[in-house]
Amino acid sequence: MSERLTVLKTYKLYVGGKFPRSESGRVYEVTDSKGNWLANAPLSSRKDARDAVVAARRAVGGWSGATAYNRGQVLYRVAEMLEGRRAQFVHEVADAEGLSKSKAADQVDAAIDRWVWYAGWTDKIAQVVGGGNPVAGPFFNLSSPEPTGVVAVLAPQESSFLGLVSVVAPVIATGNTAVVVASEKAPLPALSLAEVLATSDVPGGVVNILSGRTAEIAAPLAAHQDVNAIDLAGADEVLAKELEIAAADNLKRVLRPQPVDDWSAAPGTDRMTAFLETKTVWHPTGSLGASGSSY
Amino acid sequence: MASAFEYAPAPESRSIVDIAPSYGLFIDGEFTDAADGKVFKTVSPSSEEVLSEIAQAGEADVDRAVKAARKAFEKWSALPGSERAKYLFRIARIIQERSRELAVLETLDNGKPIKETRDADLPLVAAHFFYYAGWADKLDHAGYGANPRPLGVAGQVIPWNFPLLMLAWKIAPALATGNTVVLKPAETTPLSALFFADICRQAGLPKGVVNILPGYGDAGAALVAHPDVNKVAFTGSTAVGKQIARTVAGTRKKVTLELGGKGANIVFDDAPIDQAVEGIVNGIFFNQGQVCCAGSRLLVQESIQDELLDSLKRRLSTLRLGDPLDKNTDIGAINSEEQLSRITSLVERGEAEGAERWSPACDLPESGYWFAPTLFTNVTQAHTVARDEIFGPVLSVLTFRTPDEAVAKANNTPYGLSAGIWTEKGSRILAVANKLRAGVVWSNTFNKFDPTSPFGGYKESGFGREGGRHGLEAYLDV
């Protein structure tokens, strides 16, 4: 009896809640750490990047306007779905990064726990970084954090899943939407994450995932006038500088690449606050007491 | 409109200020000539009188000042926060003591009314130093983790519209957090920063902790690009801000930018008209409209347009323009000839594009740089006067019918610094404020500032916040 032939998956992009192929019709070969063929991933074009920005922009209103409680629920749902697909991701991460099953499992567990951690942040960050200010005068004012809008995220090149989750979750936890460029060499865990997001009540367009050549996709994103911020985690030094210069054109918020030895270390709040604006709203309080009148 | 009473002149005496015929650069605690001996003159915009001759910093001076700041950094950052706090409290106190002198000086050099320097700028300058003085020994509690570290040498470039206030916004948090400073004031308003150098001397501030380099854009560019500067802070135009963002690309320099704006002041049909008119006037004619967060676009609900404009025009007719040192003066001089010509050309463009221009009857003084308060009606969103930052006493009036339309029009700009909302309805204030893409939203008031309150822009109005706990982040390695 011959061995059963497995069913292979066609990996696709994730844009606006749908799974298109690259509009360019191109793919590139993805191999495991030993050079064995794993799949043909879409080789995204500049047009794919622009389409993803359109989808991300369209999703900003609904996602940033959702209650923080609701966003937390949705993020937690992602963690639930990831848990159910744990074995799949362990397998993919092991292939992608050349890790043993147990090392890959550690990575995936840490990634799932990270989703849970960020799920809990959605309705707390405003209290931690916002607040009322003691103004010297008959005024009341409040500073609140608000999402900056559409964030382009260049996922880390080496950590195909934990690194990816560590840069995507904080961006959307705070109400931004994301256009994510997956690790160039190891894009498959990212493309599979899209399947999880699509079944986790994350509205279409909130996260868009592209695979391909990081430099090729990042250039139009850094220069895009409708992108508000860019996380350069996945760019090398030369590319990062180029992209930062392009980003100056509309004064995008830029998170420069920070060397990360261990993605499983506690992340802190920096990746959330990097993509938050602070809005201060003033109003007179009146001065009834001062003038001697009463309430 | 003829006024019932004429005001007798009430000039503030300028004898309280002793302006030297020349000033040097302030580097490492000493006044010194520029390396290449260059000087420039600073004039009073209201009279074109030359006030003083100032050493003009060049690249070599920037290098010298950064070296001095670097040397001073070691000891300054190692001081206990409580000691740094005391220096800042001393500075705040001396500013209060000398506030009349500084107000007159600022009015002479900048052209803004004494009423504003005396009652707005100087109290806020002192308040900023007091506020950040108190942070110096409490940084562990600021929310950035235990023992947050300073960045090093801060290169700061400030504009001419609020010379001393912008200095305070930059220097107070920088020193409180343990950084040392090289600050370049604008070429048209260097004097108050040089007087501040003297305040540092009186306060006994260690040499090199604060360095002041008057000069032009080239000195600012050299400072921003200097490899030994760890932090860049800039307030000024969006165009220069973009250039700075390109310059620091690929470096580890931390950067904050406070840039231009085209603030919308939204008046709903239930707004208290008289208060709204005061707020509109304050929003666009404060400091001759030379304010980055000015409410330069008035969005008025169509149903009350006529009533509001009548009131506004009546109010504008009572504004007094003239000698900035006169305590009755509402509108002073435009800061420079260059700025005046920019305003003039944008206003001419507004007329050419078909917007309707109106100014109250207004005599302009013979000498100096002046521009009458100006309104544009029949303005559409496509008009230059509705899109470009004019940075002058020019208000563009647009209309809207629904709150959604007001929000869409208010947000229809690459800028995102300020906005105003006028309505009696609390839920509408909150709903609209929520949707506006602006760093500061004033409801039923305008142009209010306080050192405890973060200030800064969305979008192309820059990034980072100044003021409050948030203002510390820009100067800490977090």
Side-chain angles (χ1 to χ4, degrees):
Chain A
M1 206 174 93
S2 66
E3 214 177 295
R4 179 180 171 270
L5 194 63
T6 55
V7 177
L8 296 178
K9 180 163 83 180
T10 299
Y11 284 88
K12 296 190 190 177
L13 305 178
Y14 184 52
V15 176
K18 296 196 162 64
F19 292 90
R21 293 184 164 87
S22 167
E23 65 79 38
S24 66
R26 302 179 302 176
V27 292
Y28 70 113
E29 198 172 294
V30 178
T31 59
D32 67 14
S33 55
K34 298 190 190 70
N36 303 312
W37 183 88
L38 289 172
N40 293 324
L43 185 60
S44 300
S45 65
R46 292 165 168 265
K47 176 74 165 76
D48 290 318
R50 291 197 299 270
D51 289 347
V53 173
V54 171
R57 171 60 59 198
R58 202 170 283 154
V60 167
W63 185 242
S64 65
T67 63
Y69 178 52
N70 180 230
R71 278 203 303 274
Q73 296 272 299
V74 172
L75 259 69
Y76 185 72
R77 181 78 178 151
V78 175
E80 288 178 347
M81 291 291 151
L82 281 173
E83 192 74 52
R85 295 220 201 184
R86 185 173 172 280
Q88 174 197 343
F89 282 102
V90 169
H91 183 78
E92 283 187 338
V93 169
D95 279 349
E97 300 179 29
L99 298 176
S100 67
K101 276 271 158 12
S102 80
K103 287 252 167 60
D106 290 346
Q107 295 277 305
V108 173
D109 291 347
I112 296 172
D113 292 352
R114 184 137 304 162
W115 269 111
V116 175
W117 193 72
Y118 278 114
W121 261 119
T122 58
D123 53 4
K124 294 166 192 72
I125 188 78
Q127 291 177 308
V128 172
V129 303
N133 306 305
V135 181
F139 296 93
F140 146 89
N141 83 24
L142 267 185
S143 292
S144 322
E146 289 192 347
T148 196
V150 174
V151 181
V153 178
L154 312 186
Q157 297 298 341
E158 300 308 323
S159 183
S160 65
F161 191 60
L162 176 57
L164 169 84
V165 165
S166 301
V167 297
V168 174
V171 166
I172 65 167
T174 50
N176 296 290
T177 64
V179 175
V180 181
V181 181
S183 163
E184 181 169 333
K185 188 168 67 82
L188 303 185
L191 296 175
S192 292
L193 176 68
E195 298 160 15
V196 170
L197 298 172
T199 51
S200 304
D201 308 327
V202 180
V206 170
V207 180
N208 305 275
I209 299 179
L210 306 172
S211 59
R213 307 290 173 225
T214 298
E216 183 185 358
I217 312 170
L221 292 175
H224 202 297
Q225 297 296 299
D226 205 27
V227 171
N228 302 93
I230 187 163
D231 180 346
L232 298 175
D236 63 35
E237 208 175 306
V238 176
L239 177 62
K241 181 173 178 179
E242 234 171 72
L243 296 174
E244 191 174 350
I245 291 171
D249 244 17
N250 71 336
L251 292 164
K252 279 181 192 67
R253 281 65 178 130
V254 174
L255 185 60
R256 293 171 177 151
Q258 325 278 336
V260 178
D261 300 329
D262 177 13
W263 282 101
S264 61
T269 56
D270 293 3
R271 287 194 176 272
M272 286 186 287
T273 54
F275 304 116
L276 288 173
E277 305 288 343
T278 296
K279 179 187 279 178
T280 303
V281 179
W282 290 65
H283 198 278
T285 55
S287 52
L288 293 175
S291 63
S293 62
S294 62
Y295 298 92
Chain B
M1 197 178 84
S3 61
F5 299 101
E6 290 301 324
Y7 281 77
E12 176 73 60
S13 166
R14 61 182 284 181
S15 66
I16 191 169
V17 186
D18 188 11
I19 302 175
S22 71
Y23 286 93
L25 314 169
F26 185 66
I27 299 176
D28 205 16
E30 310 286 340
F31 282 102
T32 156
D33 290 339
D36 58 10
K38 274 196 188 166
V39 292
F40 67 101
K41 292 180 168 53
T42 186
V43 302
S44 183
S46 61
S47 62
E48 299 175 57
E49 169 202 355
V50 174
L51 295 172
S52 189
E53 195 174 75
I54 316 284
Q56 181 183 333
E59 215 174 315
D61 305 302
V62 167
D63 191 52
R64 206 148 51 99
V66 171
K67 283 203 171 83
R70 171 62 58 199
K71 197 162 136 250
F73 174 67
E74 201 180 320
K75 279 190 183 158
W76 179 249
S77 59
L79 272 186
S82 53
E83 294 297 299
R84 287 202 308 273
K86 285 193 283 183
Y87 279 114
L88 286 166
F89 277 120
R90 279 186 182 187
I91 290 171
R93 275 294 193 221
I94 296 170
I95 287 167
Q96 283 184 323
E97 286 163 11
R98 297 179 64 175
S99 87
R100 181 165 168 187
E101 173 196 2
L102 292 166
V104 173
L105 176 76
E106 194 85 314
T107 285
L108 281 170
D109 202 20
N110 169 282
K112 62 168 69 185
I114 185 74
K115 195 168 77 174
E116 293 180 7
T117 52
R118 184 193 60 192
D119 300 345
D121 294 34
L122 263 298
L124 276 171
V125 169
H128 267 87
F129 278 99
F130 274 116
Y131 176 76
Y132 280 110
W135 265 125
D137 54 359
K138 300 170 192 66
L139 296 174
D140 282 349
H141 307 279
Y144 301 110
N147 194 24
R149 305 303 305 155
L151 295 164
V153 175
Q156 309 179 318
V157 179
I158 59 169
W160 44 259
N161 58 341
F162 293 91
L164 198 53
L165 183 58
M166 292 301 105
L167 174 149
W169 282 26
K170 298 280 184 290
I171 290 185
L175 297 192
T177 46
N179 299 274
T180 55
V181 163
V182 178
L183 176 127
K184 189 200 87 71
E187 66 268 21
T188 61
T189 55
L191 286 178
S192 53
L194 294 165
F195 274 55
F196 180 78
D198 189 51
I199 291 172
C200 293
R201 179 189 62 80
Q202 290 184 333
L205 195 71
K207 288 177 191 301
V209 171
V210 168
N211 304 274
I212 309 274
L213 297 182
Y216 284 72
D218 60 328
L223 180 57
V224 167
H226 195 289
D228 205 27
V229 163
N230 306 96
K231 152 79 191 174
V232 170
F234 172 73
T235 295
S237 75
T238 289
V240 174
K242 289 180 180 180
Q243 195 45 53
I244 289 173
R246 288 181 198 111
T247 302
V248 301
T251 71
R252 306 309 301 173
K253 287 176 191 172
K254 199 157 176 172
V255 61
T256 44
L257 304 170
E258 297 288 351
L259 309 175
K262 193 72 189 173
N265 211 348
I266 308 170
V267 184
F268 287 95
D269 56 8
D270 65 341
I273 295 284
D274 290 346
Q275 276 118 308
V277 165
E278 284 309 304
I280 294 160
V281 168
N282 184 27
I284 184 61
F285 300 114
F286 183 68
N287 197 18
Q288 294 72 246
Q290 301 168 131
V291 183
C292 52
C293 54
S296 53
R297 287 181 299 154
L298 175 63
L299 297 182
V300 53
Q301 198 150 18
E302 209 175 82
S303 51
I304 57 158
Q305 184 190 9
D306 293 344
E307 185 190 355
L308 184 77
L309 282 177
D310 286 349
S311 283
L312 185 59
K313 286 178 176 176
R314 204 177 321 124
R315 178 67 180 91
L316 292 192
S317 305
T318 67
L319 291 177
R320 290 177 296 273
L321 177 147
D323 181 7
L325 273 178
D326 190 324
K327 285 170 255 182
N328 292 324
T329 292
D330 298 303
I331 308 241
I334 299 302
N335 182 251
S336 65
E337 196 169 6
E338 188 191 352
Q339 183 58 18
L340 179 60
S341 71
R342 181 180 151 77
I343 297 169
T344 308
S345 82
L346 280 165
V347 164
E348 280 165 2
R349 195 143 158 209
E351 276 190 291
E353 287 174 6
E356 211 168 288
R357 176 179 177 177
W358 180 89
S359 288
C362 185
D363 294 328
L364 301 183
E366 298 283 309
S367 61
Y369 318 124
W370 304 91
F371 201 88
T374 299
L375 271 190
F376 273 109
T377 50
N378 271 343
V379 177
T380 75
Q381 297 183 82
H383 280 128
T384 303
V385 291
R387 304 205 69 81
D388 288 15
E389 185 180 38
I390 298 174
F391 226 63
V394 181
L395 179 66
S396 298
V397 184
L398 299 97
T399 62
F400 68 90
R401 290 184 181 174
T402 65
D404 279 348
E405 189 187 349
V407 168
K409 283 183 169 168
N411 287 339
N412 183 14
T413 165
Y415 295 114
L417 191 50
S418 74
I421 306 169
W422 298 85
T423 171
E424 286 289 20
K425 197 169 173 181
S427 57
R428 188 184 284 150
I429 289 173
L430 296 176
V432 172
N434 204 20
K435 285 184 184 157
L436 291 172
R437 302 278 294 157
V440 55
V441 178
W442 288 291
S443 5
N444 292 336
T445 182
F446 210 93
N447 263 349
K448 291 288 179 290
F449 302 93
D450 191 275
T452 65
S453 307
F455 177 94
Y458 283 49
K459 301 196 278 185
E460 293 190 18
S461 289
F463 36 75
R465 294 295 180 269
E466 292 182 294
R469 183 190 74 84
H470 297 70
L472 294 169
E473 186 185 355
Y475 292 95
L476 291 172
D477 186 13
V478 290

